[in-house]
Amino acid sequence: MSTQSLAKYVRSRNRPGASGFRGSGAFYAFISPWLIGTVLLTLFPLGYALWISFTNWDGIAPNQNWIGLKNYTDALSDPRMWASLQRTGLLALAVVPVTICGGLALALLLNEKVHWRSGLRMLVYLPAIVPPVAATLTWKLLFDRDSGAINGVTAIFGADAVSWMSGNTVFVVLLVVMLWGIGAGVLINLAALQDVPAELHEAARLDGANAFTAFWHVTLPSISPVLLFQVITTTIGVLQTFVPALLLSPANGPAAITAVPEANRVFMVDVYAQYFAYSKYGYASAMLWLFFLVILVVTIITFKIGGRTVFYAVDPSKEGKEG
Amino acid sequence: MTLTSHRPQTESQAALPEPPIRQSRERKNPVAFVILLVVCAILFLPVLWLLLTALKSPQQLASDPITWIPTQPQVQNFIDATMILPFWAYAANSLFLSTVTGVLTTVSSALVGYGFARLNGKGKKVLFGILIAMMMTPPIITLIPTYLLFAKVGLVGTYWPWVLWGMAGAPYLIFLYRQFFAQLPRELEEAAILDGCGRLRIFVQIFLPLSKPVIITAFVLSFNGVWGDFIAPQLLLNQDNTTLAVAITTGYVNSQGFPVNNLLAAGAVLYVLPVLIMFFFVQRSYVRGFATSGMK
């Protein structure tokens, strides 16, 4: 132990209220699994991808030739990349608001006193726990041209069978798969709703607030941090949509990636194809880093906008200046 | 994501705030009930269709107009679904990977969460900021370069990546633990400190037993994460040691390469079942895990 940390140790021992533990040692020992893991399994790979993105590596050649920013300028001038980025953004714009508002609405309803409440809770949450592979395959069966229930229903009304899996309609199927998980946030929302102090509602009612004003001025501010957290995680989740888009392909196995219909070529599908179908490792890594930056910017903007409207209650559990 | 329907009621947990899940005898809201019933029906219909498809014969699948309810349910489909491909071998792979990663993640995340909640060290604030940033880092972005690196060091085709991921903990679960541990009273450890207990002992003997709901939540989330994951096994494993998630997407085809939808549906049902059963059993503690760690 260095003299510095020893001095700190002595000081912390004498400070009233200090828990009296040796400097940083124990803290670092406890967080070391995560610290080492983050460096080796996240930061190092990210750095590696950054390095590859400046080369024209094809994944096989022993040498990686430095080509500077060429991959980035190529990507940015490629209309295909902009198209897939646009598709991904559209998906997020459609899925995130519906999921957040729908999830909140469902949580509010489930917070009411209703019959079979725990059973209904499980049913709402059920699609959200179905693994993405199974969820996609399920909807693929529902939207099947000949044996699917969707065309079965429209046939009753005399409509012709639609080949959902090709053309632009496959985007509808992707949207439906994503929206099916609308209950994902319900548990967290419910936990948050149950934390809203009852006295606040009581006070609002005494002040003559109706159900809506009470919701707007009491419930919503109280749970806003949880909602902001969900907006951010859902946005990040939707932006990296990959498995449903890949599996809604007419082909199976490794060939699926190049057979994904145009309408469903979201950003990660493009990146994956560049890596593993076209072996453009350098170019794909540049796309990956561009996407990383896009997600970062979107997250920061959401934080900035959301942060202004989010109401943080004083949290006694947070020590000192933090929080 | 696992839970049991029993209510964990130990002396220690009685001190924690009770999430008011129970229904009281008050008047029920009929409007909310009806809306929920309709929404739940819509959300459940796809699952029902999956089950119905799994029970159809090839003739019923091909019929025009479509067969809604299979007249002679083909229970045999479920057996066939496990024979057309080495289903149980893949299921064993999935189970092994999910359990190993689940256990390791649960333990390591608890350790790290404890560190962030109860210990102090230089740069803690910065590191906590990095943890939050890691929560926001898209996993798919790091996965492909990680795959390239693992390929270099010869870990592709092995289960070691899952062990490493498990040991590193998961930022979201670390955060969950941290929130939970941070709100426990200081007195808990003070007596133990005076008695000269080490940090590890305090963690194992005092904090871990208190955090049962969070432990269950963490295990269920990480187990299901691996069970449901498609991309990592697709990238990192071979056809013979891959997981069920990958196998069911490619295995249910006939000799001409066309999908066999009834067996595919049966296989998908069998694949989802463990997740659903687990969730059913641990639901209560799962909700508690969120409620007691003050996800806010």
Side-chain angles (χ1 to χ4, degrees), chain B residues 208-261:
Chain B
L208 272 193
L210 284 174
S211 52
K212 230 179 272 167
V214 189
I215 289 175
I216 291 173
T217 307
F219 180 77
V220 177
L221 279 174
S222 48
F223 183 96
N224 283 4
V226 178
W227 187 273
D229 187 16
F230 174 84
I231 313 171
Q234 162 92 341
L235 271 179
L236 289 156
L237 297 175
N238 313 312
Q239 213 193 330
D240 55 323
N241 71 350
T242 195
T243 61
L244 211 45
V246 175
I248 61 167
T249 64
T250 52
Y252 293 108
V253 286
N254 62 19
S255 47
Q256 282 91 49
F258 289 108
V260 196
N261 280 346

Side-chain angles (χ1 to χ4, degrees), chain A residues 21 24 28 112-113 122, chain B residues 29 43 122 199 283 295:
Chain A
F21 268 90
S24 303
Y28 277 98
E112 292 287 304
K113 289 175 180 64
M122 286 200 70
Chain B
N29 185 333
L43 289 176
K122 253 205 170 108
R199 272 297 174 182
Q283 217 221 101
M295 269 300 308

Side-chain angles (χ1 to χ4, degrees), chain A residues 56-317:
Chain A
N56 62 355
W57 194 36
D58 58 3
I60 303 159
N63 294 319
Q64 298 155 358
N65 301 318
W66 182 270
I67 54 165
L69 285 170
K70 187 170 184 307
N71 285 325
Y72 288 89
T73 49
D74 281 358
L76 288 172
S77 56
D78 183 358
R80 265 182 69 112
M81 191 214 74
W82 289 106
S84 62
L85 195 61
Q86 214 179 335
R87 254 173 241 128
T88 314
L90 191 66
L91 193 68
L93 281 179
V95 173
V96 176
V98 178
T99 305
I100 300 299
C101 299
L104 176 60
L106 286 172
L108 285 169
L109 288 171
L110 284 166
N111 204 33
E112 292 287 304
K113 289 175 180 64
V114 291
H115 291 282
W116 309 336
R117 183 156 62 165
S118 38
L120 290 172
R121 261 181 203 175
M122 286 200 70
L123 278 176
V124 163
Y125 199 65
L126 177 91
I129 53 170
V130 170
V133 166
T136 314
L137 294 178
T138 302
W139 283 101
K140 219 174 165 176
L141 292 173
L142 275 142
F143 278 101
D144 189 272
R145 187 184 178 279
D146 301 315
S147 66
I150 307 288
N151 280 349
V153 170
T154 55
I156 296 172
F157 301 102
D160 288 334
V162 177
S163 303
W164 292 97
M165 290 304 144
S166 56
N168 287 330
T169 50
V170 73
F171 190 73
V172 175
V173 184
L174 181 62
L175 270 180
V176 171
V177 174
M178 308 288 288
L179 289 175
W180 195 39
I182 196 167
V186 161
L187 283 188
I188 302 178
N189 279 338
L190 274 172
L193 284 175
Q194 283 157 7
D195 272 356
V196 179
E199 311 90 67
L200 282 181
H201 270 292
E202 201 77 356
R205 222 181 34 173
L206 289 175
D207 287 347
N210 60 27
F212 179 76
T213 41
F215 167 76
W216 193 255
H217 293 289
V218 177
T219 312
L220 208 52
S222 308
I223 65 168
S224 55
V226 176
L227 286 178
L228 177 65
F229 177 77
Q230 281 177 66
V231 170
I232 288 168
T233 50
T234 311
T235 308
I236 294 172
V238 177
L239 287 178
Q240 43 176 329
T241 300
F242 176 61
V243 175
L246 174 73
L247 295 183
L248 292 177
S249 161
N252 279 313
I257 189 72
T258 45
V260 170
E262 171 94 12
N264 271 4
R265 232 177 30 221
V266 286
F267 203 87
M268 277 318 299
V269 168
D270 237 4
V271 170
Y272 207 86
Q274 295 294 347
Y275 269 109
F276 300 110
Y278 311 128
S279 293
K280 290 164 82 178
Y281 280 50
Y283 184 72
S285 297
M287 285 183 75
L288 212 51
W289 256 91
L290 283 174
F291 199 42
F292 182 50
L293 295 177
V294 167
I295 293 180
L296 203 67
V297 169
V298 170
T299 309
I300 292 171
I301 292 174
T302 316
F303 254 123
K304 288 267 184 241
I305 296 174
R308 258 185 259 140
T309 52
V310 164
F311 166 85
Y312 287 99
V314 180
D315 186 354
S317 68

Side-chain angles (χ1 to χ4, degrees), chain B residues 71-85:
Chain B
T71 39
Q72 289 157 314
Q74 309 284 310
V75 183
Q76 179 72 24
N77 282 351
F78 286 96
I79 296 161
D80 292 346
T82 63
M83 310 284 260
I84 190 174
L85 54 114

